[in-house]
Amino acid sequence: ITIQNFVNNCCDRIPNSIHKFETLVRTCLGLPMGELEMLFSHLLGLSHSLEELIDGVLAYKKNKLKNQGIEFISEPDVPQAGGLDLLENILERAAVLLKPEAKQHNLSFPKGMILWGPPGTGKSLSAKLAAKKMGVPMVAADWAGLRGTTAYESRKNLREFLQFCDANGEHGLVLYFDDFDKGFAGFDSDNDGGVSRQLAGKLLTWMQERTSQVLVMATVNRLEFLPPELVRRFDEIIFVDLPHAGARYEIFKLHLAKYFPGLDFSEKDWWRLLRETKLLTPAEIALMVRKTAENAFYWNTQELSSDELGEKPLSVTVRDFLEVR
């Protein structure tokens, strides 16, 4: 309540919505009031919206964790994942469970979500955006990096890492495993002296017994590679398939805005582009748009001076995209 009142007094001049205000309050949890006062005195001079304030507080919390030797994955290059409306709705429902009032109804933050699907369908991007949407930091877990030279060192690394997550997950934390299925390739094997099985068992026990608000988000290409006892620890298993036409349109619009601001096509050209990209993944669509932009810039370098290159927008047609396709 103290933090909520403090944030409300600081942000009374900034346009906001109830949803964004609650996200900002949730992002501030876990920081001492003295640090918050200094942080807001700095950020309020630079921010013009609640979104910018949320990003600033999250960046500060990440820098604090980086000082403890924790690695973070890169920021997403687009503001949202196109075509994943159902997943975004699930994440919004999970975010409200971080409210202190949820405990009064015996509700708790979900323990884990598996994002399952072919490579390049936006699973990793969704995980990155999930932490931002919830207003909590995200720690990337490297399963191979936790393995030490001995079984004792491996267990020690995992134990200390999970203790760190518990200590920093009191007010929400996303623990991210990329290609989670690959990390359990030796689960049923004793080729490494049973180390993989011991580490997996430790992780399973922690996911079952922990009380901190840590959401384990794991991306998986082959769900059948995971042992059943591991799958049962997750609250949600979400299949992320190849995008349909409407989703491809949203994905194109996201990436076109990055390289070609203001560019749009006729309805006929849109249908042609969507029809010719039917089997592309979101990652392939992003690459297709980027390569088209690179080609357009190359042709500009052949015709324009250096002074004009930065000023003239990139000019393309649907045919240019289909040639790259």
Side-chain angles (χ1 to χ4, degrees):
I1 294 175
T2 303
I3 289 180
Q4 184 170 341
N5 292 336
F6 169 77
V7 173
N8 193 34
N9 292 333
C10 290
C11 303
D12 57 351
R13 299 176 184 176
I14 299 179
N16 66 78
S17 64
I18 294 178
H19 174 69
K20 291 294 182 184
F21 177 77
E22 290 177 347
T23 302
L24 177 59
V25 173
R26 194 162 56 240
T27 306
C28 293
L29 294 176
L31 292 176
M33 287 300 299
E35 286 187 39
L36 272 180
E37 291 174 0
M38 290 189 294
L39 181 60
F40 269 70
S41 65
H42 171 69
L43 292 177
L44 287 173
L46 306 173
S47 305
H48 304 286
S49 67
L50 285 187
E51 288 86 352
E52 293 179 359
L53 270 177
I54 292 170
D55 291 344
V57 177
L58 268 180
Y60 178 80
K61 293 179 82 170
K62 286 183 179 180
N63 286 331
K64 285 190 68 175
L65 295 179
K66 281 181 180 178
N67 292 334
Q68 300 180 38
I70 302 300
E71 294 293 329
F72 290 87
I73 57 178
S74 60
E75 289 289 324
D77 58 351
V78 289
Q80 61 188 79
L84 297 178
D85 299 341
L86 295 177
L87 175 57
E88 289 189 7
N89 183 258
I90 291 172
L91 295 175
E92 287 180 4
R93 290 171 181 268
V96 300
L97 295 175
L98 284 169
K99 290 175 174 288
E101 294 81 2
K103 294 182 179 179
Q104 298 176 13
H105 299 279
N106 296 317
L107 298 173
S108 58
F109 197 47
K111 293 184 179 294
M113 295 182 183
I114 290 178
L115 304 182
W116 166 38
T121 49
K123 302 186 299 297
S124 297
L125 173 62
S126 299
K128 295 177 185 179
L129 293 171
K132 190 171 185 180
K133 180 182 289 291
M134 294 178 184
V136 300
M138 178 169 69
V139 176
D142 180 7
W143 191 253
L146 292 171
R147 295 285 297 268
T149 55
T150 64
Y152 171 79
E153 185 179 351
S154 300
R155 292 193 299 269
K156 178 175 178 290
N157 290 344
L158 180 59
R159 182 175 65 253
E160 291 179 350
F161 180 73
L162 295 180
Q163 287 174 349
F164 166 84
C165 292
D166 280 330
N168 290 275
E170 181 182 355
H171 302 292
L173 181 77
V174 173
L175 174 55
Y176 172 65
F177 285 96
D178 196 17
D179 291 333
F180 197 46
D181 46 335
K182 295 180 181 178
F184 286 84
F187 185 80
D188 292 323
S189 171
D190 287 321
N191 294 336
D192 58 356
V195 175
S196 294
R197 188 179 300 174
Q198 293 177 36
L199 294 183
K202 174 65 176 176
L203 180 64
L204 294 176
T205 302
W206 175 78
M207 288 185 66
Q208 180 67 29
E209 303 297 334
R210 66 164 178 74
T211 57
S212 57
Q213 300 194 100
V214 180
L215 172 64
V216 179
M217 292 200 73
T219 63
V220 172
N221 295 329
R222 303 289 296 272
L223 186 64
E224 64 271 21
F225 284 3
L226 296 180
E229 56 267 41
L230 174 62
V231 175
R232 287 198 298 270
R233 296 297 192 274
F234 288 84
D235 303 281
E236 303 269 3
I237 301 175
I238 302 156
F239 183 67
V240 186
D241 203 355
L242 293 173
H244 53 69
R248 291 199 302 280
Y249 173 77
E250 293 182 13
I251 295 165
F252 266 113
K253 294 288 282 187
L254 282 171
H255 293 285
L256 288 176
K258 182 179 179 181
Y259 300 103
F260 310 100
L263 176 65
D264 204 354
F265 303 122
S266 66
E267 184 176 349
K268 180 180 178 181
D269 283 341
W270 267 119
W271 279 113
R272 183 184 179 193
L273 184 62
L274 296 176
R275 185 171 60 251
E276 295 292 334
T277 56
K278 184 175 182 180
L279 297 179
L280 292 191
T281 66
E284 290 169 331
I285 291 174
L287 177 61
M288 176 181 169
V289 175
R290 179 170 66 82
K291 298 297 288 184
T292 304
E294 290 175 357
N295 290 345
F297 182 74
Y298 170 76
W299 290 115
N300 280 358
T301 63
Q302 307 303 301
E303 301 174 358
L304 304 174
S305 66
S306 297
D307 294 335
E308 297 173 305
L309 273 178
E311 301 295 330
K312 183 176 175 60
L314 303 178
S315 178
V316 291
T317 65
V318 168
R319 181 176 297 178
D320 296 319
F321 287 97
L322 295 181
E323 286 179 0
V324 172
R325 166 74 177 99

